[in-house]
Amino acid sequence: MALAYSRLLHRFSAPPPSSPSSSSLPLARRRAAIPRGYNRFAVRWEGRVVEVARAFLGGFQDADAIESDDEGDGNGALRPHEVDDINLELHAPSSGPERWDVLGLGQAMVDFSGMVDDEFLERLGIEKGTRKVINHEERGQVLRAMDGCSYKAAAGGSLSNSLVALSRLGSSWSTKYPEIRIAMAGSVGSDPLGSFYRAKLHRANVHFLSKPIKDGTTGTVIVLTTPDAQRTMLAYQGTSSTLSYDSDLASLVSKSNVLIVEGYLFELPHTIKAIKQACEDAHKNGALIAITASDVSCIKRCYNDFWDIVTNYADILFANANEARAFCELSSTDSPMPAARYLSHSVPLVSVTDGVHGSYIGVKGEAIYIPPSACIPIATCGAGDAYASGILYGILRGSSDLKGIGLLASRVAAVVVGQQGTRLCVQDADRLAESFALHLDNREFCSDVGTDHASNF
């Protein structure tokens, strides 16, 4: 493992190639195309290379509380025992670790996911395949229209999807590796949905450490999936959707090895300052910083703030093809490969997904193509979140094989796309983690997976 990390360090610490000609870049990019991230990425891993299994990863924890299916009832009802307030405080619990391997800052949203037809969307005037922020009245209108439909409630949000998948990969019984310790901070209300959210993450072994906001309402996302597997999202942010950087959160950041900031936070009131403070403290304490682009509309509305945070703090950027193009001001017909290559001049590692066309990992001005994994699509919601968990898992397990990490991420995403629900289940996580462990042991490695062959991807 130490040798693998040494190769990874060498790859990221080497001087980057010269940047593309400034004349070929959008004007807004020219002032920020600085290859400033490479040496900082290497420095942050320095000192943890030799003892990565002991110092960077935690001890194994009983996985009995991790459920294979953390969705709610099929009719959207919440079971009484799932909404009990478990009183998690905004600090590591007494039985928790001294340091967290991963800390996520993101929107805490409860997902209501249901299958609808195109006529349903047309009747309500909802544009298919988009994400829209709605108010309380609009949410009520949609939920009333869904009355009688089968839908599920889950502790959702883009970042929590990634963290749950990462937790399940990192808690696998089938590998020799210790468990990855994961925490999340965000904002939930003191309402039943807030308690439901916190309890669900707790059962998935993701420690949600934020106290509920008194008299606040928790945000929700209505996820409507049509028969062609396209998802349309309607986000209600609630009255508690904000993020304040207080001493408790600062303490959490200072005790974390990886900080992940969800891009949806950028569109919430008064959060940019908190994000900058979190990234600055993470940087000072030697943590890696990952940013998720989250949504094209977020990038367009918060373009300058996004670009400032990404170019000054990010070590890893997760984006889909449209988001990457939006960062680079490219047209929707342009290939995402140039975007991945361009962004990697400012961010050490860039992950760009392109659906059925595959994905790219951008490093030092080059883009590594990752072919898609075969699957029969059921719902595309959560695919990018799952892909991000695979990338993070590969890095945390010490692999320097970016192609192999990308193939793992692609397979994790394919599993989620081939099911109803955004969460990677425990059984699939065990199989994928075991496959990747064999790869790390330099044994058989394959990008195609069969459910009967756990040694293959």
Side-chain angles (χ1 to χ4, degrees):
M1 182 178 291
L3 178 60
Y5 263 104
S6 298
R7 293 198 302 268
L8 185 63
L9 292 178
H10 175 74
R11 181 162 194 165
F12 282 99
S13 61
S18 58
S19 299
S21 170
S22 62
S23 62
S24 64
L25 302 179
L27 180 60
R29 301 282 73 71
R30 298 177 193 174
R31 63 176 180 274
I34 307 169
R36 48 99 232 128
Y38 301 93
N39 292 332
R40 183 160 63 85
F41 191 101
V43 168
R44 299 209 189 152
W45 286 99
E46 188 176 355
R48 293 201 293 270
V49 177
V50 176
E51 302 184 66
V52 97
R54 180 159 56 88
F56 194 68
L57 302 178
F60 188 81
Q61 183 176 341
D62 186 357
D64 287 343
I66 301 177
E67 306 219 343
S68 61
D69 181 8
D70 69 338
E71 306 290 342
D73 286 344
N75 60 2
L78 308 183
R79 303 186 184 108
H81 74 274
E82 293 173 340
V83 298
D84 291 338
D85 193 343
I86 55 178
N87 295 318
L88 294 176
E89 300 295 328
L90 183 53
H91 54 72
S94 57
S95 59
E98 293 183 1
R99 291 187 66 84
W100 296 101
D101 296 311
V102 177
L103 171 65
L105 301 183
Q107 278 191 318
M109 311 283 275
V110 173
D111 284 352
F112 293 101
S113 303
M115 299 293 295
V116 300
D117 54 25
D118 290 346
E119 192 274 333
F120 179 93
L121 300 179
E122 294 172 1
R123 187 170 71 251
L124 294 182
I126 301 172
E127 184 180 354
K128 182 177 175 180
T130 62
R131 176 184 178 273
K132 179 183 178 182
V133 177
I134 59 176
N135 58 34
H136 184 268
E137 291 74 20
E138 290 172 316
R139 181 182 69 164
Q141 179 187 9
V142 176
L143 289 177
R144 285 191 297 271
M146 293 178 67
D147 188 28
C149 297
S150 176
Y151 62 94
K152 293 183 178 181
S158 174
L159 179 60
S160 68
N161 288 338
S162 295
L163 295 181
V164 169
L166 180 60
S167 174
R168 288 176 172 170
L169 288 167
S171 301
S172 173
W173 290 85
S174 62
T175 68
K176 61 185 178 183
Y177 300 107
E179 184 185 33
I180 298 174
R181 302 163 297 190
I182 303 173
M184 179 175 172
S187 177
V188 295
S190 55
D191 55 349
L193 286 178
S195 298
F196 170 82
Y197 183 92
R198 297 163 68 220
K200 282 296 188 179
L201 284 195
H202 182 70
R203 289 171 61 181
N205 211 27
V206 175
H207 300 266
F208 188 79
L209 303 180
S210 294
K211 298 177 182 178
I213 296 176
K214 185 178 180 180
D215 299 325
T217 58
T218 303
T220 58
V221 178
I222 301 174
V223 182
L224 305 174
T225 303
T226 44
D228 59 359
Q230 289 297 306
R231 91 287 185 267
T232 303
M233 297 189 293
L234 305 172
Y236 169 67
Q237 295 177 344
T239 62
S240 61
S241 292
T242 186
L243 180 69
S244 299
Y245 196 71
D246 55 19
S247 59
D248 291 328
L249 183 52
S251 176
L252 276 177
V253 171
S254 69
K255 297 175 182 179
S256 302
N257 294 327
V258 178
L259 174 68
I260 309 175
V261 179
E262 183 183 46
Y264 287 123
L265 286 179
F266 283 74
E267 64 182 1
L268 299 182
H270 316 298
T271 56
I272 299 302
K273 182 178 180 181
I275 292 171
K276 285 186 177 181
Q277 289 177 313
C279 289
E280 187 64 33
D281 283 354
H283 176 53
K284 291 178 181 177
N285 286 281
L288 291 174
I289 300 171
I291 307 292
T292 70
S294 293
D295 189 75
V296 171
S297 63
C298 290
I299 296 172
K300 291 180 178 179
R301 286 194 295 266
C302 312
Y303 187 86
N304 291 334
D305 289 326
F306 253 115
W307 193 249
D308 178 40
I309 296 295
V310 166
T311 57
N312 285 298
Y313 297 104
D315 298 298
I316 305 170
L317 174 64
F318 294 109
N320 64 27
N322 290 330
E323 293 155 1
R325 285 189 283 253
F327 270 124
C328 300
E329 298 179 337
L330 299 175
S331 73
S332 59
T333 59
D334 288 325
S335 167
M337 179 186 288
R341 297 178 61 183
Y342 172 69
L343 289 169
S344 70
H345 284 287
S346 294
V347 182
L349 190 150
V350 178
S351 167
V352 178
T353 58
D354 194 21
V356 297
H357 303 294
S359 56
Y360 299 91
I361 296 178
V363 179
K364 298 186 295 184
E366 298 298 329
I368 302 170
Y369 175 67
I370 309 297
S373 295
C375 73
I376 299 175
I378 301 298
T380 58
C381 189
D385 309 332
Y387 189 96
S389 73
I391 295 292
L392 291 168
Y393 182 76
I395 292 174
L396 289 168
R397 286 309 190 213
S399 176
S400 62
D401 176 9
L402 293 181
K403 184 80 171 185
I405 292 174
L407 289 172
L408 167 66
S410 176
R411 184 54 199 159
V412 176
V415 169
V416 170
V417 169
Q419 66 182 27
Q420 179 63 41
T422 59
R423 296 288 168 82
L424 180 70
C425 73
V426 172
Q427 293 88 342
D428 287 325
D430 286 343
R431 178 168 51 83
L432 291 164
E434 183 178 6
S435 298
F436 197 68
L438 294 178
H439 170 55
L440 292 180
D441 289 340
N442 294 318
R443 282 183 274 169
E444 182 179 359
F445 177 74
C446 180
S447 61
D448 293 322
V449 64
T451 55
D452 298 328
H453 299 87
S455 62
N456 293 335
F457 264 21

